[in-house]
Amino acid sequence: MGETEQRPTAGSRLGAQENAGISTLEHGQKPPMTPPGKLISIKIQMLDDTQETFDVPQRAPGKVLHDAVCNHLNLVEGDYFGLEFPDHKKMMVWLDLLKPVMKQIRRPKHVVVKFVVKFFPPDHAQLQEELTRYLFALQVKQDLAQGRLTCNDTSTALLISHIVQSEIGDFDETIDREHLAKNKYIPQQEALEDKIMEFHRNHMGQTPAESDFQLLEIARRLEMYGIRLHPAKDREGTKINLAVANTGILVFQGHTKINAFNWAKVRKLSFKRKRFLIKLRPDVNSSFQDTLEFLMASRDFCKSFWKICVEHHAFFRLFEEPKPKPKPVLFSRGSSFRFSGRTQKQVLDYVKEGGHKKVQFERKHSKIHSIRSLTAQPSEQHTEVPKQSSSFAYGDDNDAAAVQSCRQGKELKASTEDTGQHKSPSLKKSPKEGRKVDGAVVSTVEEEEEAAKDRMQQNRPQSQQPSTGSLTGSPHLSELSINSQGGPPVANMSLSPNLSPDAKQSSPLISPLLNDPSCIRTDDEEEVKRKRFPTEKAYFIAKEAATTERTYLKDLEVITSWFQSAVSKEDCMHETLKNLIFSNFEPLHKFHTGFLKEIEQRLALWEGRSNAHIKGDYQRIGDVMLKNIQSMKQLTIHLWKHNEILIELENGIKNSRKLENFCREFELQKVCYLPLNTFLLRPLHRLMHYKQIMERLCKHYPPSHIDFRDSRAALAEISEMVAQLHGNMIKMENFQKLHELKKDLIGIDNLVIPGREFIRLGSLSKLSGKGLQQRMFFLFNDILLYTSRGLTASNQFKVHGHLPLYGMTIEESEEEWGVAHCLTLRGQHQSIVVAASTRAEMDKWTEDIQMAIDLAEKSSGPAPELLAGSPPDNKDPLSVSDCTSLPAGLISDQRPVPISYVCWYRMQSLSFYDILQSNENQLSGNLLRKFKNSNGWQKLWVVFTNFCMFFYKSHQDNHPLASLPLLGYSLTIPSESENIHKDYVFKLHFKSHVYYFRAESEYTFERWMEVIRSATSSASRTRALSHKEPHAY
């Protein structure tokens, strides 16, 4: 098996050693027996466009040829690749590894077989070999040139700039122009050459391996990454395209994804003649029919696509190669085709256990030599998709495999820093400066036993127990921040430093969060620590003031340090606006730096760490709070300016596309873990926190306590400040929320108008001719909008229609329609029927809609016509819609995940009252998280805000490693049967995902329970809103 001529081969160019082993074999496994007989020559076109000839016996199965190519290249991870060739009907098909080569390639002398990437994993960090990533990069380069990988000009230029960096090294304008003139990466490349060179200039010092890594990081976020379209028609005869990915089966109109059927929701795939059939698992919350049918061009096309789907499902979802079915005695029914080869789990396990030697290889076109790291550090990964490194789709089944699908949220946004010393499994992170990660991917949660075997668990070294939760073990701790396909790359490379994939740095799948020995505390250590520190409640109240102050100071630094530094490098903001923002935030940052120092010094004395003999007068905090709150009153002038800052910044964004793009790109940074406007409102939120802390302290102290007088005085001072700024807070919060929703909605003009107030958003099912279909509703004081996700490439909610509240009536109609929790909304010109997921949700909507109707009746009249381009409701534009799936690129632009997305995927709703309450219920501090398979506990710094828990290794970190949106989660205390024999432990669970956290004291335990409960269950409205006081705390 080799070349017919003695000449340099792809293997020798890549540094292949002879007889280095066959990639598709497990340890100790022998190569397949080569059948004797006449040899035939097969021409193989490699990804670097060279051709090699291999001689194989006529009766040899396709696996022999595939293994020969992988052996020739010394390719360890060859299972991701396949051999593609045109059959006798000129249709491109994959070589079947079980069938004889001669029966598939009828005329080998006239056929060139292509060696290409067949299986695209959700995250390129799962590719352990530098050579493998290099070949994937060549595939991306090829797809760009052939127009298969479509994206915008900025993304295209950025991709090509990394290819150029890999091929010719650092930027030199003359060399760049010559190289681009000789090498055409895309048609009409000339128009992008300046932009390509501009990006290339920012890659100075980047090695070819790093360029490959960055190229794949950008490419994997594109919606068409790894996608091969197969033309088809739906039942209505609409022309569509079908495709298959690691997450499941995708539906496209043109190059826009409109639907996704995740593996967890697919019960059976079959074909009958030209009809391709998808049988879905029953779902009470879905309006889909049980079986979906698509018509393809011919039976051969249909069968070919069916085979590809079977192979993708097996590769990404199964633990091991499926066993062949026994042959029927009499009659055969259906196809005997099955997947042959290792699954992705087996590939990952094999590479981790391999112990391969480092081998040098030379890249074609590249002047730079690379070291091939075959001994990649033993990264114990859990593979979750995502995103939804691929497409996230939240669903009700547990699809933790490479499916980033889930209707719940991609919850574990994870990202890692350069922590080479940590080689343990951890949260996923996107190496791109795009912040979260996208990390862990979101996966569905409610699949029974089969889903328990899904890929997330497969890639973990330990067996996992469903009773315990791990931040990295669950697809649900991902991100919603995790990132997925479809996101545009960061245009401003100065904001996004490159990350190296080499061994000096941990893989994006590896985070210091998991299994870091320095983070594990034994029970004895905890007991010693608990005995050494004070135990009184006042101490823990004071400690809460310190921990939350640390987080607040970090939030201020996002504006005063990170944002200011980025603004200074770009000419996009008017000097007046710069001065307005930073002249008001810098005094606050300077003051609170000193404030935090004083609190920490007092706590050190209280704990006896500084002067153990000093007691009594130093076991108090009221005097420190009083002194600083009095000083803070002098800064009130800056707090009053925040309203002006917010308005002027939004006006600047509205009038300047450059500033708008800059702010959007800044929100991609890992430090900006919340929407930018939220950081601008943080000083006002902090006043509420001081007030709560002092209220708890005064409630705890008896009047005779030495600290009571100062604490009461401090409470009076801060209460006065809150009362003065309270009305301004409410207006700014509403203003900020309207602008946040404006970014998430398309099809409406002038959402932000004077007098408009946001009331509630959430997911409801709307009854139409196609049955119940999930829609996202947005309720304001004058109008009700209903939207959907699906056809928009930008992943926004598309407005389908609106109902003015003036003259509307609302009535329950369960009996009329036979649908549980059903309401009929009758407007003056249109009526709709909606259903909530639970009775409680229906009651919330009923109350708020009725209140909004009353407010509209008291207003001057009907709301003006504000919608633009809203399609009529009787013709839903989604001909193929999957309400339970998340389109590719949930966080396509890598912005902080809007809470509306979480509501959509978790079937929840949220009121403005809930948002105001969440601003008060913020908390920071250390928690211990229980490992899944041991009694060990891991110490994490946790910040709770915006209905989400953000996880850090320590309070000094600048950005979170992971996050867990809590809407929809349940908060309980572990039962005896769970064998958690520790104090102050609480349990978070959502469907099959369970996490245990442990607080350090009774007070901190109660506080965490209090604030988390406010997010896991929507706060009940204590009183109806009035027209004069539309929003009340």
Side-chain angles (χ1 to χ4, degrees):
M1 272 180 274
E3 304 74 19
T4 57
E5 302 178 19
Q6 296 297 325
R7 56 188 174 84
T9 65
S12 62
R13 286 196 306 277
L14 297 175
Q17 297 179 356
E18 296 301 324
N19 301 320
I22 293 176
S23 71
T24 55
L25 300 178
E26 300 288 354
H27 283 304
Q29 192 175 1
K30 295 181 180 180
M33 292 296 294
T34 302
K38 184 180 177 181
L39 298 179
I40 58 173
S41 296
I42 305 293
K43 287 179 285 189
I44 306 292
Q45 181 171 320
M46 302 297 183
L47 281 164
D48 61 0
D49 294 328
T50 60
Q51 283 191 9
E52 307 293 340
T53 303
F54 293 86
D55 295 329
V56 297
Q58 283 184 332
R59 290 183 291 168
K63 183 176 177 62
V64 171
L65 178 59
H66 182 270
D67 288 347
V69 178
C70 294
N71 186 30
H72 176 70
L73 295 173
N74 199 20
L75 179 60
V76 177
E77 297 173 297
D79 304 82
Y80 291 102
F81 301 83
L83 296 170
E84 189 182 40
F85 66 95
D87 66 3
H88 63 286
K89 295 184 179 179
K90 305 301 181 183
M91 182 176 70
M92 295 302 293
V93 295
W94 294 102
L95 185 73
D96 190 327
L97 300 186
L98 297 180
K99 289 185 177 181
V101 174
M102 197 60 186
K103 285 191 175 182
Q104 301 181 72
I105 305 176
R106 302 291 176 86
R107 304 175 66 193
K109 292 183 179 180
H110 304 281
V111 172
V112 176
V113 180
K114 295 183 178 180
F115 180 76
V116 294
V117 178
K118 185 175 184 179
F119 301 110
F120 290 80
D123 193 330
H124 59 284
Q126 294 168 353
L127 306 174
Q128 299 300 299
E129 291 266 282
E130 181 181 324
L131 173 59
T132 311
R133 291 193 292 268
Y134 169 56
L135 294 176
F136 266 74
L138 291 179
Q139 182 69 66
V140 171
K141 176 182 174 182
Q142 192 177 100
D143 289 348
L144 271 175
Q146 296 174 355
R148 183 178 289 161
L149 180 60
T150 57
C151 52
N152 58 39
D153 289 348
T154 301
S155 299
T156 303
L158 188 54
L159 288 169
I160 296 175
S161 70
H162 283 295
I163 297 173
V164 173
Q165 175 71 22
S166 174
E167 292 182 352
I168 66 174
D170 290 342
F171 175 79
D172 182 287
E173 185 170 355
T174 303
I175 297 176
D176 271 38
R177 291 197 182 278
E178 292 177 357
H179 185 78
L180 290 173
K182 295 177 182 178
N183 298 272
K184 298 300 180 185
Y185 297 101
I186 57 170
Q188 290 83 45
Q189 178 177 291
E190 295 77 9
L192 294 180
E193 286 187 359
D194 290 340
K195 187 173 288 189
I196 293 170
M197 290 193 292
E198 180 185 349
F199 285 134
H200 186 203
R201 190 192 304 270
N202 295 318
H203 303 332
M204 296 290 289
Q206 189 169 280
T207 66
E210 291 172 330
S211 297
D212 290 345
F213 197 85
Q214 293 294 324
L215 174 73
L216 296 177
E217 175 61 28
I218 297 163
R220 77 180 179 94
R221 301 175 191 282
L222 301 175
E223 194 161 58
M224 296 303 295
Y225 174 64
I227 296 299
R228 294 185 176 218
L229 299 177
H230 300 259
K233 294 181 180 180
D234 62 12
R235 285 189 171 180
E236 286 76 32
T238 303
K239 290 184 179 181
I240 58 170
N241 290 304
L242 297 179
V244 62
N246 54 71
T247 53
I249 299 172
L250 314 177
V251 183
F252 289 80
Q253 276 189 348
H255 286 81
T256 301
K257 194 177 83 164
I258 61 173
N259 203 354
F261 302 103
N262 305 304
W263 295 129
K265 303 187 72 61
V266 175
R267 181 180 173 187
K268 182 180 179 181
L269 294 175
S270 60
F271 70 96
K272 188 173 183 181
R273 296 185 179 89
K274 297 193 294 184
R275 290 181 296 151
F276 181 72
L277 307 173
I278 304 175
K279 192 166 187 177
L280 301 177
R281 298 182 185 278
D283 184 355
V284 295
N285 294 320
S286 174
S287 59
F288 282 120
Q289 48 212 351
D290 178 61
T291 303
L292 298 172
E293 181 179 310
F294 300 93
L295 189 67
M296 306 193 79
S298 68
R299 180 186 182 278
D300 290 341
F301 275 105
C302 195
K303 184 176 182 179
S304 176
F305 181 65
W306 173 79
K307 285 183 176 181
I308 297 170
C309 293
V310 170
E311 291 179 315
H312 273 74
H313 177 269
F315 183 77
F316 289 108
R317 294 278 289 174
L318 300 185
F319 283 101
E320 58 188 18
E321 178 183 352
K323 297 179 181 179
K325 298 178 181 179
K327 292 185 177 180
V329 179
L330 296 176
F331 302 102
S332 63
R333 183 178 181 182
S335 174
S336 61
F337 176 79
R338 66 180 177 88
F339 170 73
S340 174
R342 294 184 302 191
T343 65
Q344 191 191 25
K345 178 197 180 321
Q346 291 175 310
V347 176
L348 293 171
D349 291 344
Y350 172 68
V351 175
K352 284 189 290 186
E353 298 166 3
H356 308 284
K357 294 181 180 179
K358 293 183 179 180
V359 179
Q360 286 189 342
F361 69 88
E362 182 179 350
R363 297 157 177 265
K364 186 178 180 183
H365 305 307
S366 179
K367 302 176 183 179
I368 308 166
H369 291 269
S370 276
I371 298 294
R372 176 179 168 190
S373 304
L374 289 175
T375 51
Q377 45 188 354
S379 57
E380 324 206 22
Q381 321 173 36
H382 54 101
T383 60
E384 305 171 31
V385 175
K387 23 138 207 95
Q388 268 152 34
S389 321
S390 24
S391 71
F392 284 93
Y394 293 75
D396 293 329
D397 303 324
N398 186 5
D399 183 19
V403 199
Q404 290 122 19
S405 56
C406 26
R407 192 167 61 195
Q408 319 145 9
K410 180 180 137 182
E411 301 141 92
L412 196 124
K413 310 175 194 167
S415 67
T416 54
E417 300 178 277
D418 295 347
T419 51
Q421 68 270 27
H422 304 296
K423 298 180 181 181
S424 42
S426 143
L427 309 173
K428 241 168 104 160
K429 162 220 169 224
S430 165
K432 181 177 177 178
E433 174 68 291
R435 36 181 298 146
K436 311 192 184 33
V437 136
D438 167 73
V441 182
V442 187
S443 160
T444 50
V445 193
E446 235 181 51
E447 194 166 10
E448 297 92 33
E449 284 299 319
E450 31 201 358
K453 294 182 178 179
D454 83 24
R455 290 206 54 266
M456 288 230 5
Q457 297 176 347
Q458 300 172 8
N459 290 333
R460 291 185 213 142
Q462 314 102 327
S463 61
Q464 310 211 351
Q465 303 170 2
S467 61
T468 31
S470 160
L471 290 180
T472 62
S474 162
H476 272 286
L477 256 184
S478 92
E479 146 228 345
L480 285 178
S481 148
I482 268 77
N483 244 306
S484 52
Q485 299 175 347
V490 183
N492 183 353
M493 295 308 295
S494 65
L495 296 179
S496 57
N498 297 315
L499 295 178
S500 168
D502 61 23
K504 296 180 181 178
Q505 180 172 340
S506 60
S507 159
L509 284 178
I510 308 300
S511 156
L513 254 184
L514 282 192
N515 296 348
D516 178 0
S518 63
C519 290
I520 303 174
R521 291 195 174 276
T522 64
D523 298 336
D524 291 340
E525 288 175 334
E526 280 305 309
E527 285 302 318
V528 171
K529 186 172 180 67
R530 191 174 289 123
K531 291 176 181 177
R532 194 167 67 236
F533 286 162
T535 57
E536 61 266 37
K537 183 175 181 178
Y539 163 77
F540 289 108
I541 296 176
K543 191 172 181 179
E544 180 186 336
T547 56
T548 52
E549 190 73 10
R550 286 172 184 166
T551 300
Y552 173 54
L553 198 60
K554 283 287 185 183
D555 288 348
L556 289 179
E557 288 173 0
V558 172
I559 301 298
T560 61
S561 178
W562 297 91
F563 188 61
Q564 186 172 15
S565 174
V567 167
S568 65
K569 297 175 184 178
E570 299 289 333
D571 183 22
C572 60
M573 185 180 291
H574 197 275
E575 286 297 325
T576 305
L577 181 56
K578 286 185 189 177
N579 294 334
L580 177 63
I581 296 174
F582 303 121
S583 64
N584 283 287
F585 271 85
E586 286 173 349
L588 294 175
H589 180 264
K590 182 178 180 181
F591 170 79
H592 286 280
T593 300
F595 189 2
L596 175 60
K597 186 176 181 180
E598 287 191 45
I599 298 177
E600 290 180 333
Q601 288 174 345
R602 176 57 56 87
L603 283 176
L605 294 173
W606 201 329
E607 296 166 356
R609 284 185 284 143
S610 300
N611 296 284
H613 62 283
I614 300 179
K615 299 289 181 182
D617 288 348
Y618 290 95
Q619 293 185 339
R620 52 188 295 196
I621 194 66
D623 57 332
V624 175
M625 299 298 292
L626 176 60
K627 171 192 168 185
N628 283 279
I629 288 174
Q630 288 175 336
S631 301
M632 199 187 306
K633 296 183 73 173
Q634 301 173 12
L635 300 174
T636 306
I637 184 174
H638 298 296
L639 300 179
W640 280 107
K641 287 282 186 179
H642 283 40
N643 190 12
E644 183 181 352
I645 291 173
L646 204 59
I647 293 174
E648 291 301 320
L649 179 60
E650 288 297 339
N651 288 338
I653 290 173
K654 181 179 179 180
N655 297 325
S656 169
R657 178 60 63 88
K658 188 174 182 180
L659 179 58
E660 179 185 3
N661 293 335
F662 171 79
C663 291
R664 183 184 297 111
E665 289 170 5
F666 180 77
E667 284 189 326
L668 307 184
Q669 308 307 300
K670 290 180 286 187
V671 295
C672 193
Y673 66 102
L674 296 171
L676 178 60
N677 284 349
T678 302
F679 290 103
L680 297 177
L681 296 177
R682 273 295 188 248
L684 298 178
H685 298 163
R686 188 59 181 155
L687 297 181
M688 299 298 301
H689 306 159
Y690 292 139
K691 183 172 180 285
Q692 285 188 336
I693 289 170
M694 298 317 301
E695 285 174 344
R696 284 192 287 274
L697 205 56
C698 290
K699 186 177 181 180
H700 168 68
Y701 284 143
S704 59
H705 194 279
I706 187 174
D707 202 26
F708 180 75
R709 170 180 273 183
D710 288 340
S711 298
R712 188 171 62 178
L715 175 59
E717 296 279 5
I718 194 65
S719 297
E720 181 183 348
M721 292 180 65
V722 169
Q724 291 175 355
L725 293 166
H726 180 264
N728 200 36
M729 281 190 231
I730 305 300
K731 291 178 182 178
M732 292 173 65
E733 201 65 50
N734 182 68
F735 181 80
Q736 187 270 339
K737 191 62 187 176
L738 290 177
H739 278 278
E740 182 181 327
L741 294 178
K742 178 183 175 183
K743 297 175 185 177
D744 299 333
L745 295 173
I746 58 172
I748 179 171
D749 294 334
N750 301 327
L751 180 67
V752 184
I753 60 173
R756 172 161 290 163
E757 297 169 1
F758 166 70
I759 296 177
R760 180 175 288 276
L761 62 82
S763 176
L764 294 172
S765 296
K766 177 179 172 292
L767 188 63
S768 69
K770 299 180 181 180
L772 287 173
Q773 294 186 313
Q774 185 183 6
R775 293 289 178 262
M776 192 69 181
F777 282 76
F778 297 86
L779 177 64
F780 303 92
N781 63 338
D782 60 340
I783 199 169
L784 176 68
L785 305 179
Y786 52 95
T787 67
S788 75
R789 304 273 312 253
L791 285 175
T792 62
S794 57
N795 296 310
Q796 296 166 296
F797 289 100
K798 182 173 183 178
V799 177
H800 281 204
H802 66 286
L803 289 174
L805 298 180
Y806 185 82
M808 179 189 287
T809 60
I810 179 173
E811 60 187 47
E812 293 188 25
S813 52
E814 293 185 9
E815 295 183 0
E816 179 181 356
W817 297 102
V819 178
H821 322 307
C822 183
L823 297 172
T824 299
L825 306 178
R826 303 187 186 279
Q828 292 183 333
H829 306 291
Q830 180 186 2
S831 297
I832 61 173
V833 179
V834 297
S837 56
T838 63
R839 181 75 193 185
E841 280 292 305
M842 185 185 79
D843 291 342
K844 292 174 189 176
W845 279 103
T846 302
E847 178 185 356
D848 281 352
I849 292 175
Q850 187 58 59
M851 178 270 298
I853 292 173
D854 294 340
L855 291 177
E857 294 293 338
K858 295 176 182 178
S859 65
S860 56
E865 187 69 25
L866 299 172
L867 296 183
S870 299
D873 187 62
N874 56 354
K875 289 191 178 180
D876 198 326
L878 296 181
S879 59
V880 183
S881 102
D882 182 357
C883 305
T884 64
S885 67
L886 174 61
L890 168 64
I891 318 300
S892 61
D893 55 358
Q894 291 187 322
R895 287 190 299 121
V897 179
I899 201 67
S900 55
Y901 290 7
V902 185
C903 291
W904 170 264
Y905 301 122
R906 301 273 181 80
M907 299 290 287
Q908 299 288 316
S909 70
L910 205 62
S911 70
F912 186 72
Y913 178 79
D914 298 324
I915 294 171
L916 296 180
Q917 289 292 315
S918 74
N919 294 335
E920 298 180 25
N921 293 319
Q922 298 181 20
L923 192 60
S924 307
N926 288 311
L927 284 176
L928 299 178
R929 189 265 306 175
K930 187 182 184 303
F931 287 105
K932 282 205 168 216
N933 302 307
S934 72
N935 292 324
W937 295 80
Q938 179 183 19
K939 186 177 180 181
L940 299 170
W941 176 261
V942 183
V943 174
F944 174 82
T945 184
N946 207 36
F947 304 95
C948 188
M949 294 174 76
F950 296 91
F951 301 95
Y952 302 73
K953 187 177 179 184
S954 76
H955 68 84
Q956 296 173 332
D957 291 351
N958 290 323
H959 58 81
L961 295 168
S963 64
L964 176 62
L966 294 180
L967 283 177
Y969 268 76
S970 297
L971 175 66
T972 58
I973 298 174
S975 62
E976 287 292 330
S977 62
E978 293 172 89
N979 297 320
I980 308 293
H981 304 299
K982 296 293 179 183
D983 296 330
Y984 317 131
V985 176
F986 59 89
K987 170 184 172 183
L988 282 168
H989 56 99
F990 181 76
K991 297 186 177 179
S992 65
H993 294 271
V994 182
Y995 309 97
Y996 296 99
F997 296 97
R998 179 177 163 198
E1000 61 179 341
S1001 69
E1002 182 180 2
Y1003 171 78
T1004 53
F1005 169 77
E1006 291 174 350
R1007 284 289 293 136
W1008 280 106
M1009 291 285 285
E1010 177 185 349
V1011 298
I1012 292 176
R1013 189 176 288 115
S1014 70
T1016 55
S1017 58
S1018 182
S1020 60
R1021 186 178 299 277
T1022 56
R1023 55 181 171 167
L1025 303 180
S1026 68
H1027 184 63
K1028 292 183 179 180
E1029 188 180 21
H1031 304 301
Y1033 275 93

